C-alpha cells in the first residue's frame, strides 16, 4: 500500500467503517508509514476531544411539554388545540424568565418556578418523590429534607386524595410540594412558613390554562397549581382551609 | 411527506416506546444546530410532534437517525419560514456562540470550553456532520440518511469538517508539531 492509499483510509479506520480485511491491510501499511501513524494519532485525538464533551440531556420542562402533548393526543383530541396554545405560552413565559434572569420580577419568577414544578409532578410519577396517601408517611418524609414541617392532610373525603410529595426549589429555597389528585388531574400545593401568622383571602388567577391560587393560612404561604377549572380550584382551597382549621 | 392520519392511543403508545427514548439525542442535536438553549427546546418539541405525525410512515428502521433527520428538516423549515422576517435567527446563526454551555458545570475545564466553542464556531454543514459522527456516534450510512447525501459525500464533507475544526482549535489554542493544538 502506498502512502496516499493509507492516508485516504485514516478517517474510515478511526470511524470504524473499514471491513476486517481492509483494517488488517491498513494496520500493516501503517507499520511502514510514520506519516500516517501521526495522522492516525491526530485523528484519534480530535475525535476523542469531541466525544469527551459533556452531553446536555433534554431539560425536564421539554420532556414535560412533550409528555403533555402525547397524553392529550392519546386521550382527548378535542382539547389538543387549547393544550398546544397553552404549552407554547408556558414555554414563552419560562423562556423569558430564563433569558431575562435578574430582569424578571421576583413574583413572575416565582410563578414560573411554581408552574415548572407543577409540570414535573403532573407529567410523570417520578415527579412525586414520596408516593403515599398516608399523611403519616408523607409528613415525616420531609424531615431532614427541608427545614420546616409542612401540614399534611388527606383530602380524599373532599374529592382530592393525597398522592404524595416532593421537594422543589422556589426562589433558591427548598420547599415542600404536596401532590393531590382530582379525577385525572393533579394538584400541586407548594407551601413554606410565612413571616406573618394572619391568614389572607385566597388570590385566584388563571395563567396559560392553569389555575393558580395563593393565600396564607396557619402560618404558611400556600400556592396551589393545577389544570383544573377555577371552580374546582376554589373547592380545593376550601378543602385545605377546612383541614387546617380542624387542626386547631 | 404524506398526509397523516390522526395518531390514536395505540400509535402514541408505540411512539412513546420507540421514538421518545431518543429525546435526549434530538435535543442534543437541536442544541448544536441552533446554538441556543431556548430555541433548541422549541425545535426539539416541534420535531417530536412532527415525528408523531409521520410515525405511520415509520417502517421499523432505526429510530434515532430517523428522528434526527426530522430534527434537521424541521430546523431548515423553521429557518426558512422565519428567514428575513425574523432577525433573531440570523443573529443567532451569525454570532460566535457556545454550544451546550460548559460554564454551567464548574468542573468542566477550559479545554472543553475551547473545544465546544470551536465546534460552535464552525459553519453549519461542518458542525452538523461532526456532531452526527462524534457526538451522536452515527455510522456513515446513517449520517447519509440524516443529511440526505451519498455516502461518498459524507466522507469528503467529514474530512473537510475535521480539517476546519483542527484549524479552528489551533487558532484558539496554538499549534504543536503535526497540527493538533497543544492542550
Amino acid at each position: 500500500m502506498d502512502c496516499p492509499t493509507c492516508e485516504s483510509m485514516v478517517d474510515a479506520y478511526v470511524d470504524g467503517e473499514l471491513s476486517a480485511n481492509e483494517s488488517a491491510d491498513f494496520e500493516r501499511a501503517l507499520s511502514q508509514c510514520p506519516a500516517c501513524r501521526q495522522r492516525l494519532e491526530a485523528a484519534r485525538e480530535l475525535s476523542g476531544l469531541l466525544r469527551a464533551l459533556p452531553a446536555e440531556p433534554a431539560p425536564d420542562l421539554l420532556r414535560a411539554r412533550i409528555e403533555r402533548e402525547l397524553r392529550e393526543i392519546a386521550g382527548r383530541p378535542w382539547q389538543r388545540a387549547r393544550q398546544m396554545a397553552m404549552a407554547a405560552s408556558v414555554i414563552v413565559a419560562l423562556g423569558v424568565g430564563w433569558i431575562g434572569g435578574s430582569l424578571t420580577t421576583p413574583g413572575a419568577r416565582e410563578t414560573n418556578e411554581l408552574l415548572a414544578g407543577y409540570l414535573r409532578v403532573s407529567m410523570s410519577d417520578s415527579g412525586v418523590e414520596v408516593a403515599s396517601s398516608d399523611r403519616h408517611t408523607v409528613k415525616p418524609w420531609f424531615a431532614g429534607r427541608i427545614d420546616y414541617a409542612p401540614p399534611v392532610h388527606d383530602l380524599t373525603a373532599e374529592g382530592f386524595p393525597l398522592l404524595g410529595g416532593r421537594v422543589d426549589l422556589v426562589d433558591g429555597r427548598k420547599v415542600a410540594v404536596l401532590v393531590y389528585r382530582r379525577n385525572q388531574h393533579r394538584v400541586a400545593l407548594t407551601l413554606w412558613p410565612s413571616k406573618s401568622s394572619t391568614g389572607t383571602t385566597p388570590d385566584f388567577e388563571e395563567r396559560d390554562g392553569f389555575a393558580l391560587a395563593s393565600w396564607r393560612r396557619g402560618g404558611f404561604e400556600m400556592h396551589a397549581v393545577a389544570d383544573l377549572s377555577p371552580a374546582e380550584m376554589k373547592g380545593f382551597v376550601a378543602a385545605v382551609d377546612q383541614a387546617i382549621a380542624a387542626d386547631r | 411527506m404524506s398526509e397523516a392520519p390522526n395518531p390514536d392511543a395505540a400509535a402514541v403508545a408505540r411512539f412513546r416506546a420507540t421514538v421518545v427514548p431518543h429525546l435526549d439525542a434530538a435535543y442534543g442535536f437541536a442544541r448544536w444546530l441552533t446554538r441556543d438553549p431556548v430555541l433548541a427546546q422549541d425545535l426539539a418539541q416541534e420535531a417530536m410532534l412532527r415525528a408523531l405525525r409521520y410515525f405511520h410512515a415509520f417502517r421499523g428502521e432505526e429510530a434515532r437517525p430517523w428522528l434526527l433527520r426530522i430534527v434537521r428538516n424541521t430546523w431548515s423549515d423553521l429557518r426558512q419560514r422565519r428567514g428575513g422576517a425574523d432577525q433573531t435567527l440570523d443573529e443567532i446563526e451569525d454570532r460566535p456562540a457556545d454550544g451546550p454551555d460548559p460554564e454551567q458545570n464548574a468542573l468542566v475545564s477550559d479545554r472543553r470550553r475551547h473545544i465546544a466553542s470551536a465546534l460552535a464556531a464552525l459553519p453549519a454543514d461542518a458542525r452538523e456532520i461532526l456532531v452526527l459522527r462524534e457526538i451522536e456516534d452515527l455510522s456513515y450510512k446513517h449520517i447519509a440518511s440524516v443529511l440526505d447525501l451519498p455516502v461518498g459525500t459524507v466522507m469528503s464533507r467529514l474530512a473537510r469538517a475535521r480539517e476546519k475544526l483542527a484549524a479552528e482549535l489551533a487558532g484558539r489554542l496554538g499549534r504543536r508539531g503535526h497540527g493538533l493544538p497543544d492542550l
Side-chain angles (χ1 to χ4, degrees), chain B residues 123-167:
Chain B
D125 59 343
R127 187 169 8 112
E128 68 183 1
I129 202 164
L130 282 171
V131 169
L132 290 173
R133 175 66 206 114
E134 305 287 10
I135 295 175
E136 295 304 332
D137 199 23
L138 296 191
S139 66
Y140 290 176
K141 194 180 111 207
H142 282 144
I143 296 172
S145 79
V146 172
L147 300 180
D148 204 12
L149 292 172
V151 170
T153 311
V154 167
M155 293 173 72
S156 54
R157 196 178 279 187
L158 190 54
R160 275 202 308 277
R162 283 171 164 152
E163 278 166 24
K164 278 185 187 153
L165 180 65

Side-chain angles (χ1 to χ4, degrees), chain B residues 95-106:
Chain B
R95 76 171 189 235
D98 278 347
D101 186 6
E103 280 174 343
Q104 283 172 1
N105 183 347

Side-chain angles (χ1 to χ4, degrees), chain A residues 82-101:
Chain A
R82 180 180 158 256
Q83 299 294 353
M84 298 257 304
M86 180 175 78
S89 55
V90 170
I91 199 53
V92 167
L94 293 168
V96 168
W98 287 330
I99 298 169

Side-chain angles (χ1 to χ4, degrees), chain B residues 24-41:
Chain B
D24 282 339
Y27 174 73
F29 189 36
R31 190 71 180 76
W32 282 111
L33 289 179
T34 61
R35 298 181 290 188
D36 178 278
V38 175
L39 211 50
Q41 293 200 42

Side-chain angles (χ1 to χ4, degrees), chain A residues 5-159:
Chain A
T5 310
C6 66
E7 186 186 349
S8 71
M9 293 167 83
V10 171
D11 271 14
Y13 181 77
V14 171
D15 291 328
E17 296 274 349
L18 293 184
S19 71
N21 280 343
E22 289 169 328
S23 289
D25 289 348
F26 174 75
E27 282 160 13
R28 258 195 306 280
L30 212 54
S31 61
Q32 312 293 320
C33 185
C36 281
R37 277 206 298 279
Q38 263 193 358
R39 285 192 190 97
L40 178 64
E41 272 309 297
R44 276 189 173 144
E45 190 176 347
L46 195 63
S47 167
L49 291 174
L50 288 174
R51 281 163 192 265
L53 286 177
E56 192 179 317
D60 286 348
L61 191 67
L62 170 63
R63 204 170 282 284
R65 280 155 60 198
I66 289 166
E67 263 310 305
R68 176 167 205 110
E69 298 271 8
L70 294 182
R71 285 206 316 195
E72 291 305 327
I73 292 166
R76 287 171 289 170
W78 46 273
Q79 273 211 335
R80 180 130 191 275
R82 180 180 158 256
Q83 299 294 353
M84 298 257 304
M86 180 175 78
S89 55
V90 170
I91 199 53
V92 167
L94 293 168
V96 168
W98 287 330
I99 298 169
S102 58
L103 293 176
T104 318
T105 64
R109 191 174 64 223
E110 186 179 291
T111 307
N112 286 340
E113 288 176 342
L114 290 168
L115 281 174
Y118 174 70
L119 288 171
R120 277 192 287 278
V121 298
S122 72
M123 292 311 144
S124 75
D125 289 330
S126 60
V128 182
E129 292 171 327
V130 51
S132 171
S133 57
D134 183 355
R135 54 184 289 202
H136 301 296
T137 302
V138 176
K139 190 176 169 115
W141 180 86
F142 285 107
R145 291 187 166 85
I146 52 174
D147 55 6
Y148 59 92
V152 182
H153 301 93
D154 181 18
L155 306 173
T156 305
E158 288 74 29

Side-chain angles (χ1 to χ4, degrees), chain B:
Chain B
M1 294 202 209
S2 61
E3 191 56 37
N6 279 332
D8 57 12
V12 171
R14 272 186 293 121
F15 183 79
R16 212 188 274 282
T18 322
V19 180
V20 176
H22 301 294
L23 175 62
D24 282 339
Y27 174 73
F29 189 36
R31 190 71 180 76
W32 282 111
L33 289 179
T34 61
R35 298 181 290 188
D36 178 278
V38 175
L39 211 50
Q41 293 200 42
D42 290 351
L43 170 57
Q45 181 172 3
E46 171 80 27
M48 270 289 177
L49 292 177
R50 209 184 261 208
L52 178 60
R53 239 178 298 139
Y54 298 139
F55 191 51
H56 68 289
F58 180 76
R59 293 281 173 262
E61 59 264 45
E62 275 193 54
R64 197 161 53 100
W66 181 79
L67 179 61
L68 294 181
R69 178 179 182 151
I70 294 176
V71 171
R72 184 177 183 267
N73 291 345
T74 307
W75 176 233
S76 359
D77 290 355
L78 223 60
R79 293 177 59 190
Q80 251 168 32
R81 205 188 309 154
R82 301 198 205 173
D86 189 338
Q87 287 302 305
T88 331
L89 283 178
D90 293 336
E91 285 163 17
I92 286 165
E93 191 56 36
D94 288 344
R95 76 171 189 235
D98 278 347
D101 186 6
E103 280 174 343
Q104 283 172 1
N105 183 347
L107 298 174
V108 169
S109 64
D110 260 14
R111 172 171 133 143
R112 279 188 184 164
R113 196 168 64 225
H114 281 302
I115 294 152
S117 50
L119 179 57
L122 292 182
D125 59 343
R127 187 169 8 112
E128 68 183 1
I129 202 164
L130 282 171
V131 169
L132 290 173
R133 175 66 206 114
E134 305 287 10
I135 295 175
E136 295 304 332
D137 199 23
L138 296 191
S139 66
Y140 290 176
K141 194 180 111 207
H142 282 144
I143 296 172
S145 79
V146 172
L147 300 180
D148 204 12
L149 292 172
V151 170
T153 311
V154 167
M155 293 173 72
S156 54
R157 196 178 279 187
L158 190 54
R160 275 202 308 277
R162 283 171 164 152
E163 278 166 24
K164 278 185 187 153
L165 180 65
E168 186 72 42
L169 269 174
R172 274 156 208 265
L173 297 168
R175 277 173 173 272
R176 176 187 66 189
H178 52 272
L180 258 202
D182 189 6
L183 295 168

Side-chain angles (χ1 to χ4, degrees), chain A residues 6 108 134 157 159 194 222 225 236 247-248:
Chain A
C6 66
D134 183 355
S194 169
M222 323 275 267
V225 184
F236 176 74
D247 279 349
R248 321 240 122 190

